[in-house]
Amino acid sequence: MRLEPEIWTAEVVYLGFGTPMLRGGLAVVGGHVAMTGGLEELQHAYPGAPVVHKGRALTPPVVNAHTHLDLSRLPYFEGPYVEFIRHVIANGAGRGVEAARQGLEELRALAVGAFGDIVARDAVMDWLLEHSDLPGVAYREVIGPDPGKAQDVFAALKPQFLAWKKREGRVKVGISPHATHTVSAPLFKLLVEFAALEGFPVQIHVAESPEESRYVRRAEGGFVEFMRQMKLPVWNPPGVSPVQYLADLGLLGPGVTLVHAVQVDEADVRVIAQAGCRVVSCPRSNRGLECGEFPWALYLKHGVEVALGTDSRGSSPDLDVRNEALHLWGKADPRVLVRSATRGGYRVLGLQTPRITRGSALSQVQSW
Ligand SMILES: [Zn+2]
């Protein structure tokens, strides 16, 4: 261990609180942080200490706020969203505990601070509650497009959710009604009301692809063909944007995190902000599945807390959210990206953001 002081700096230094610094740094002595602050201030306090450039960012451990660990064996796919859904269904056999174990190993190797995972199998939920040493939220995914079956689906799930809640440790239990087009309106309401009552956090995929907007607005496009192929009912469309549809159902509130929310206009972002929802963006997945670009400036303007996620290995080459931020480096304000990769994620998952202060161990500092 090096005992001589060094000054670490990066393009952006974020301590987990306050504003990320563009000319900031950390004085490091003996494996610990001895001082934080502006670069000049640190050089004044530690004259002669070498300044070490650590890259793009120095931050607390990052958070992957949205992934699907049980899809970690899904071959990587690029192409239109509807084709991706077919790809997921076609490769369903590789889904399960082994894939989730592989995904959790990857997150551990990346030293993430926490994770938000969408869980499609009960066995995976059981396994994560038992075995994950990383903190996070495992959101059990619910799919149920037939409104006539909403009560039965919910009645079967309710005791299961309550039983899992009793087993919470490092991993908390959440609920993920999958998306606008795969969950009926009555089932959405039952799930979100139950979640609010019992304190389950919620994640919903919404406004991901242009095709979803076409389906919700006019029941047109690739989703119609897909629903017919799957022998699922094509609905009478609500005729509004996907975000407005969820708002009209009374689903939006501070306990609900919206995933993707790419296909939005300013009215949608205002609705999200007023409801107090947070948002998780998965930029590389959105690019690969031809879903569009996340409007960072609009969300910033309306003060919405944004986190970063990778989505599954099926649409992301790895589970490292730092690569999501680096993918956008130079296109969006890097201070916003750094905050989203850390604080945004902890906020989504209901956790405190770790702070880098005098005395922090270097294991609590990530360089990108
Ligand atoms: Zn997802």
Side-chain angles (χ1 to χ4, degrees):
M1 186 184 299
R2 194 187 158 93
L3 291 173
E4 293 299 309
E6 284 183 343
I7 295 168
W8 287 9
T9 188
E11 276 181 47
V12 182
V13 176
Y14 181 48
L15 304 175
F17 61 99
T19 306
M21 296 179 279
L22 291 176
R23 280 192 58 77
L26 315 170
V28 173
V29 183
H32 286 83
V33 174
M35 184 178 168
T36 64
L39 205 48
E40 286 74 18
E41 192 188 351
L42 293 167
Q43 285 175 305
H44 187 73
Y46 291 89
V51 175
V52 183
H53 288 268
K54 302 295 278 188
R56 300 283 197 196
L58 285 167
T59 65
V62 296
V63 172
N64 188 340
H66 179 81
T67 183
H68 300 247
L69 294 179
D70 65 6
L71 287 173
S72 293
R73 291 183 169 184
L74 185 64
Y76 178 71
F77 177 91
E78 281 188 18
Y81 176 84
V82 180
E83 292 307 315
F84 175 67
I85 297 303
R86 292 192 173 100
H87 174 72
V88 174
I89 293 170
N91 289 280
R95 197 164 200 178
V97 172
E98 275 313 307
R101 186 197 309 272
Q102 191 176 316
L104 191 68
E105 275 307 317
E106 183 177 349
L107 291 178
R108 202 182 276 126
L110 293 166
V112 301
F115 68 103
D117 187 36
I118 306 298
V119 172
R121 303 272 191 277
D122 291 348
V124 174
M125 177 66 86
D126 289 334
W127 185 83
L128 283 171
L129 289 172
E130 192 84 10
H131 291 99
S132 174
D133 50 357
L134 289 177
V137 178
Y139 302 84
R140 178 64 166 92
E141 183 171 83
V142 181
I143 291 178
D146 184 346
K149 292 184 181 156
Q151 284 288 354
D152 290 347
V153 171
F154 177 67
L157 287 167
K158 187 177 163 183
Q160 181 70 279
F161 274 114
L162 294 171
W164 279 324
K165 195 164 185 58
K166 291 202 181 101
R167 296 171 52 199
E168 286 183 338
R170 304 215 84 181
V171 171
K172 309 288 180 209
V173 179
I175 304 178
S176 180
H178 174 250
T180 50
H181 50 288
T182 53
V183 178
S184 69
L187 183 56
F188 253 130
K189 285 188 189 176
L190 286 165
L191 290 168
V192 174
E193 280 166 16
F194 170 67
L197 193 68
E198 299 290 344
F200 290 99
V202 171
Q203 285 201 4
I204 304 171
H205 296 86
V206 67
E208 181 172 3
S209 63
E211 289 297 297
E212 178 187 343
S213 295
R214 292 182 69 196
Y215 188 67
V216 178
R217 285 183 188 276
R218 294 182 297 277
E220 287 176 3
F223 277 22
V224 173
E225 192 191 321
F226 177 74
M227 299 302 262
R228 292 213 172 103
Q229 199 183 342
M230 300 298 290
K231 305 207 180 337
L232 292 167
V234 173
W235 67 357
N236 185 18
V240 293
S241 73
V243 167
Q244 189 61 49
Y245 169 59
L246 297 186
D248 291 347
L249 291 179
L251 303 180
L252 302 187
V256 174
T257 294
L258 303 178
V259 182
H260 301 303
V262 177
Q263 295 292 326
V264 291
D265 60 15
E266 185 155 11
D268 291 321
V269 175
R270 195 176 286 118
V271 163
I272 291 169
Q274 284 170 354
C277 292
R278 297 181 178 120
V279 169
V280 184
S281 177
C282 307
R284 289 182 298 168
S285 172
N286 292 157
R287 182 191 52 78
L289 302 184
E290 302 171 14
C291 289
E293 290 199 5
F294 187 77
W296 286 89
L298 268 186
Y299 282 105
L300 196 60
K301 177 179 170 188
H302 290 276
V304 176
E305 185 88 61
V306 179
L308 286 174
T310 58
D311 228 324
S312 79
R313 285 294 298 265
S315 60
S316 174
D318 55 57
L319 298 181
D320 194 346
V321 287
R322 288 172 292 192
N323 289 334
E324 301 294 337
L326 294 173
H327 170 70
L328 296 170
W329 212 261
K331 290 188 203 150
D333 185 333
R335 292 171 299 178
V336 173
L337 297 172
V338 160
R339 222 184 90 132
S340 296
T342 53
R343 188 181 125 106
Y346 289 106
R347 294 288 298 270
V348 160
L349 302 174
L351 297 166
Q352 288 286 335
T353 307
R355 295 179 165 210
I356 300 173
T357 56
R358 181 185 161 88
S360 292
L362 293 185
S363 58
Q364 286 305 298
V365 180
Q366 280 191 347
S367 58
W368 303 19

